[in-house]
Each structure stands twice: as structure tokens, then as C-alpha cells.
Amino acid sequence: MEAVLTGAISAALTRLGVDADLSRIGLERPARTDHGDWSTNAALVSAKGVGLAPRELAQQLAAELDGAGLPHLERTEVAGPGFVNMHLAPSWLHELLAAVLNQGAEGYARHDIGTGQTVNLEFVSANPTGPLHAGGGRWGAFGDSLARLFRRCGYDTVTEYYVNDRGTQMELFGRSLAARLAGEPVPDDGYHGEYVTEWANELAVELEADTAVGEAGPLAVLEARGGTAFAASWGRERALRDVAESLAAMNVGFDRWQSEASLVDSGAMDDVIERLRDAGRVYEQDGAVWLATSEFDDAKDRVLRRSDGEPTYFVPDIAYHHAKFGRGDRVIDVLGADHHGYVPRIAAAMQMLGHPAESYEAIVGQNVTLMRDGKVIELSKRTGTMVEVRELIDAVGPDVARFAFLLQSIDSRQTIDIDLLSAQAAENPVFYVQYAHARIASVARRAEADGVAPVPPPGTDLSPLIGDRELALLRALEVLPSVVEIALRERAPHKVTTWVRDLAAAFHGFYHDCPILHSDVSPEVRDARLCLTEGTRVGLAIGLDLLGVDAPEAM
């Protein structure tokens, strides 16, 4: 309907001799239904060009629209300084519902704006030196839902997890595991969390099972296998397994896990340095090798190789991002709040390597503050003061955890009180939404038990759907395609969260006031309401899938 009205407004302005700038003309749904179903600012933005007062042009435009014979249009009215409000007959919403039923969850609210385009999306990427802390669950929920939005809008999307498995932190992690294995104190700059002791015990069991060294004991086996280097390698795999399992419990997965160590071993670092050198962006100063990132809006130039010849952490990051462009036309990083300074230097390096500025995007979000026993928990693997994401999931369930993370915009700081979330898990808004879906499934089961088709056939008369509750539910369902598009454009999955809550509220109101299978409901009304119920199920299924949350058949 939006496209029909936009075209009609453009045609009406042309008939009125108005050379309108269509990019400035808006069409929106008024907040109040008594102001109409759609409203346009066309007269406000076009009046000056024809020397008319906005209200005068609005009145002329309204008369043109009223006389154009538009489908579903009942009347127009001029409001305020020159808005034109359009009131439509309920038939436009009945037509919408028919389309929802025809397209189903697979087709409705699906866009093709990304057809032929590829996106590479990296998120979470916590160091493999321990379990994923609960705050990391926010990045998992956000990144995965954003990927689902990209895919629903037609983009070929690859999700990645970058494994920072080289450098000092891995050496310290290996030394910490080896120390716990030997029953010795962890180095002061090592990892002191309780999980280190637990994992060291697991490592001991594995080493003791090595019959090739007889009864030498786990410490001797560890030394035979490479000492702390082996402990670090074993710990890396143990950490990644824990992270993957924890995120999978939240319905988060990755298409690719990229090891930094393997990237370095491939020679990719030397390759990008040479490419940058050939591009004339590299220079030497004070014995170090520098990259002139300040030429591309970075605050200062960055060191690639120190005076001792060792590459900085920046080099593998450049190599990794350059490689990601082989897996996506657009490369997107989802980063924590402490990475603001990281973005300009990576963006600069990518442009130096020939990638358009608009092809790299960084979403810098705000971190999560976790509270327990009324106190803020400092998240640190080193000190062990952390709450694992699997602890949060065990306490409240994966759907509650994921929904909680997606209630707010990623650029707003979020505080999660674990005790409060656990105590109120049963009242969490996700259950209100899931209950709507379960209620619909219950209606379908009752209909089948009564010998009634839970989904009436195509062509069922929908004209009985004219009550306030029915129209409110139809309007809520109608906005989903726009919500999906806006949520993707603004990188805002929380807008889907808001929408499913609104749809669920509209359905619960409809269910309460509009009996469906009662004996005193005529077959015509019953079937129309069953169609509306099924359309709502389609909408809920789409929304919950985008959020990565279960759509239960019963609760």
C-alpha cells in the first residue's frame, strides 16, 4: 500500500504542476489511528516552490487524491500546518493479511535489497584464554541477530570469530595451566580464575591416560609433549570448545573460526606489508617500520614493525581484515566500547589496500555491567572475578538471556542484575511473546479437535475483521516488513524485540475480546479470525527467528 500511495502522491503533485523533490517527501503511519492510516508531508516540503501556503497546497493535494479513485482510500483530511492524512478502508489490511497467509514465514517481510551482495560479519572474538563471560553474551546475541537480518534482506552473509591465539596472553595462559597442574602458584601476571584449576585437572586426566610414557605422571607427560607450549595449545582448544558450546546454547553459531596463529604462519602479514609498501604508504623511522594512517583520518601514524623487527598486533589485524574482503563485499566488525581508537587505523589500512571506504564498517557498542548481591562484578579472566555466560544461561535459560541482551540498543550501556533476572525469569517479556505463539498453537489444536480447519483456505472472506482489536492486530502485523528493513539499516535488532512485544500485546488483546471457536460465533467470523490468528503466528515466527528465540507450541 505504501508504494501505491507514494505513486499516487507523486502523480497528484505532477497534475498540480508541482515539480516535487521526491527524496524529501515522507509517508508515515500516524501515531494515532484517528489521524488516519497514512500521512504525508508533501505539501509542506513542496509549497515554497510553487508560491503557495502549505495548507493551501495540502488542500489541493487532498482533493486530487480523493478524486483519483485510489483503492481502499475512503477520505483525506488536512491537518496541522499542511499534513495530508489518508484514511483507508479496512480492506487494505484484509489484503495485507491475505498476502501474509500466502507468503508465510518464509516469504513475508523478506527483502531483496541485498541480492548479489556479500557481507562478512565478525563478532565476539574473545581471547581463547578462558570461558566467555556473561557480558560477551550481548555481543553474541547482537551479532547473530544482525546476521539473521542481513540474510532475511537477501545478503549472502558469512559470520566469523577471530581467535587471538598468539602472543603474550597465550604464553601466560599456558604457564598458568602448567602451574596449577604442578600444584604451584599461578604467576602474578597469569590467569587466576577458578576455571584454570578445573581445566588443569582435566588436562591431568588426559595426560595420565597417555600410556606411551608409562607411569611417569602428568607433569612428565606435559614436558614430553612440549611443556607450557602444549598447555597453551590444549587450553586454547578447551577455551574455544567452551565458548562454542556456551554460544550454541544461546542459538549463536559461526560459519568460520579464524586462527590468528595460522594466519601469521600463512605469510599473510608479510604479504600485506609488501602491498602497503608498494602503495607508498610505508616508511621507516627510528629503526621501526611505520604506516601512514594519518593520511586517512587516523589520529597518528602506526608502527608495523618495532625496532627489534617484531611486528605489532596491528599487522595481523590488517592481514585478517584484508583476507575477509575475499569473503564479503562489506566487512563489518562488532566491537566493544574500548575499541573506538581501533576503528580509524583499520579503516585507513583497508583503504590503502584498495578497499572502498564505505566497504568497511565498525559497530562500536557499549559493554554490559553485571551485578550480583547488589554489587558490580568486575569482569576479568586474569583475576577470576567473572560470571560465565553459561552460568547466566543455566540461571535464567537461553531465551531469557538472549531476549534480555536484545532489549536495548547496542550503543547504550546495559546493566543486568543476575539475581533480579533470575528471580523474575518467569515474568520476563520473552515469555509474554512466546505465550502468544503457544496460544495460537493451542487454538489450532482446539480447532482440529472440533473438526475445523485451523488455517482456512485461500480466498476466505476477511471482511468481518473490522473490530478495534482485529484492526489493531492487523496494523501491528502490517509494519513488520518496514521494521525488518529499518532494523537492518540502523543495525538495531532491538527494534525487532520491540515489535514482537507489540504484536504479542495486540494478539493477547484480540484473544481476550474476540472469541474464535465459541459456539455463538458464526462460521464466517470464526474463519476470518482463524486467518488472523494464523497471520499472527507467521509474524511471531519471523520475529522470534530473527531474535534467535524459540517459538514454542505449548508452555
Side-chain angles (χ1 to χ4, degrees):
M1 194 64 202
E2 185 173 1
V4 172
L5 292 175
T6 299
I9 292 167
S10 176
L13 289 171
T14 299
R15 291 194 298 273
L16 291 170
V18 178
D19 185 15
D21 180 358
L22 298 181
S23 67
R24 298 178 61 206
I25 293 177
L27 187 66
E28 60 184 25
R29 303 169 183 85
R32 292 171 49 181
T33 57
D34 59 339
H35 289 171
D37 295 285
W38 294 91
S39 180
T40 181
N41 66 343
L44 284 166
V45 300
S46 304
K48 186 177 181 180
V50 292
L52 294 174
R55 278 191 67 89
E56 183 179 354
L57 180 57
Q59 289 166 352
Q60 294 181 19
L61 176 59
E64 282 289 330
L65 293 172
D66 281 334
L70 293 177
H72 312 299
L73 181 64
E74 289 187 329
R75 62 185 176 87
T76 61
E77 65 181 12
V78 176
F83 291 99
V84 177
N85 295 340
M86 291 159 278
H87 295 260
L88 305 183
S91 53
W92 83 283
L93 292 170
H94 303 155
E95 191 174 275
L96 173 278
L97 177 57
V100 173
L101 295 172
N102 179 58
Q103 296 171 23
E106 180 59 30
Y108 184 57
R110 188 175 291 279
H111 301 283
D112 60 3
I113 55 178
T115 300
Q117 301 179 62
T118 55
V119 170
N120 184 283
L121 180 62
E122 181 203 339
F123 54 99
V124 183
S125 297
N127 291 342
T129 53
L132 183 66
H133 64 66
R138 185 182 200 190
W139 307 112
F142 173 84
D144 183 73
S145 286
L146 183 59
R148 291 166 186 259
L149 283 164
F150 269 112
R151 289 170 179 141
R152 190 149 198 103
C153 290
Y155 291 85
D156 184 6
T157 306
V158 175
T159 55
E160 296 203 14
Y161 188 114
Y162 187 48
V163 183
N164 299 94
D165 54 357
R166 62 183 289 271
T168 303
Q169 81 273 6
M170 294 306 301
E171 295 174 8
L172 289 171
F173 186 39
R175 289 168 56 196
S176 301
L177 284 169
R180 289 302 189 197
L181 184 69
E184 299 174 354
V186 169
D188 290 342
D189 53 356
Y191 290 81
H192 297 261
E194 181 61 30
Y195 72 90
V196 178
T197 301
E198 295 174 1
W199 289 5
N201 291 337
E202 291 181 25
L203 175 58
V205 172
E206 180 177 312
L207 294 172
E208 288 172 349
D210 187 345
T211 57
V213 294
E215 298 181 359
L219 287 175
V221 178
L222 179 65
E223 287 304 313
R225 290 189 178 185
T228 57
F230 177 82
S233 176
W234 183 93
R236 169 196 183 277
E237 296 303 315
R238 181 63 179 83
L240 289 178
R241 186 169 73 251
D242 188 273
V243 169
E245 290 174 352
S246 297
L247 289 174
M250 285 179 59
N251 206 14
V252 176
F254 294 88
D255 299 315
R256 182 184 181 91
W257 296 72
Q258 175 62 59
S259 161
E260 179 183 353
S262 65
L263 188 75
V264 171
D265 292 342
S266 71
M269 289 200 309
D270 294 333
D271 178 64
V272 294
I273 290 178
E274 286 308 307
R275 286 173 179 264
L276 292 167
R277 194 185 299 276
D278 291 343
R281 305 296 183 182
V282 173
Y283 65 93
E284 295 188 12
Q285 181 176 302
D286 300 326
V289 178
W290 295 73
L291 186 64
T293 54
S294 62
E295 297 177 7
F296 289 82
D297 297 325
D298 192 12
K300 60 182 180 180
D301 292 347
R302 306 293 171 174
V303 176
L304 294 177
R305 290 190 186 276
R306 301 184 182 91
S307 57
D308 61 3
E310 284 298 307
T312 63
Y313 75 92
F314 187 33
V315 182
D317 284 353
I318 296 173
Y320 175 50
H321 282 80
H322 180 57
K324 285 198 288 186
F325 275 103
R327 300 184 286 275
D329 304 320
R330 175 179 289 272
V331 169
I332 302 175
D333 291 338
V334 180
L335 305 171
D338 56 345
H339 283 72
H340 274 286
Y342 176 84
V343 177
R345 69 192 71 168
I346 285 293
M350 293 305 100
Q351 292 175 66
M352 292 176 184
L353 290 167
H355 305 296
E358 65 275 10
S359 65
Y360 173 69
E361 176 184 348
I363 301 170
V364 180
Q366 293 296 315
N367 295 327
V368 177
T369 298
L370 293 173
M371 298 185 66
R372 175 179 277 171
D373 298 327
K375 299 178 181 178
V376 173
I377 302 171
E378 298 297 334
L379 300 176
S380 170
K381 292 177 185 176
R382 290 282 177 89
T383 64
T385 55
M386 61 178 287
V387 177
E388 299 178 24
V389 71
R390 67 167 67 239
E391 289 183 64
L392 183 64
I393 293 171
D394 289 344
V396 304
D399 289 339
V400 170
R402 182 151 179 162
F403 207 80
F405 285 130
L406 294 173
L407 283 171
Q408 296 174 235
S409 170
I410 194 70
D411 60 7
S412 63
R413 190 164 187 88
Q414 187 173 39
T415 298
I416 291 182
D417 187 319
I418 296 173
D419 297 326
L420 185 63
L421 191 63
S422 299
Q424 297 182 350
E427 289 79 40
N428 190 274
V430 70
F431 293 125
Y432 185 73
V433 176
Q434 290 177 318
Y435 184 46
H437 191 275
R439 252 184 170 171
I440 292 171
S442 176
V443 169
R445 290 192 293 270
R446 292 204 312 271
E448 288 183 333
D450 292 346
V452 176
V455 183
T460 296
D461 182 13
L462 302 176
S463 63
L465 302 174
I466 56 174
D468 289 344
R469 290 292 195 184
E470 293 160 330
L471 294 177
L473 184 52
L474 284 165
R475 287 190 176 95
L477 189 59
E478 184 271 334
V479 301
L480 178 57
S482 295
V483 169
V484 170
E485 188 173 355
I486 292 170
L488 176 64
R489 184 172 67 245
E490 298 182 3
R491 311 300 192 239
H494 71 281
K495 291 185 180 293
V496 179
T497 311
T498 299
W499 178 83
V500 295
R501 296 177 70 180
D502 291 344
L503 184 69
F507 176 76
H508 288 309
F510 159 77
Y511 183 87
H512 182 269
D513 292 348
C514 303
I516 301 171
L517 298 172
H518 289 192
S519 59
D520 59 347
V521 176
S522 69
E524 293 78 16
V525 172
R526 177 200 66 200
D527 287 350
R529 288 175 176 172
L530 282 171
C531 285
L532 180 52
T533 301
E534 170 62 13
T536 305
R537 185 202 64 79
V538 169
L540 287 171
I542 294 169
L544 290 172
D545 179 70
L546 289 172
L547 298 176
V549 172
D550 185 43
E553 296 292 310
M555 292 184 70

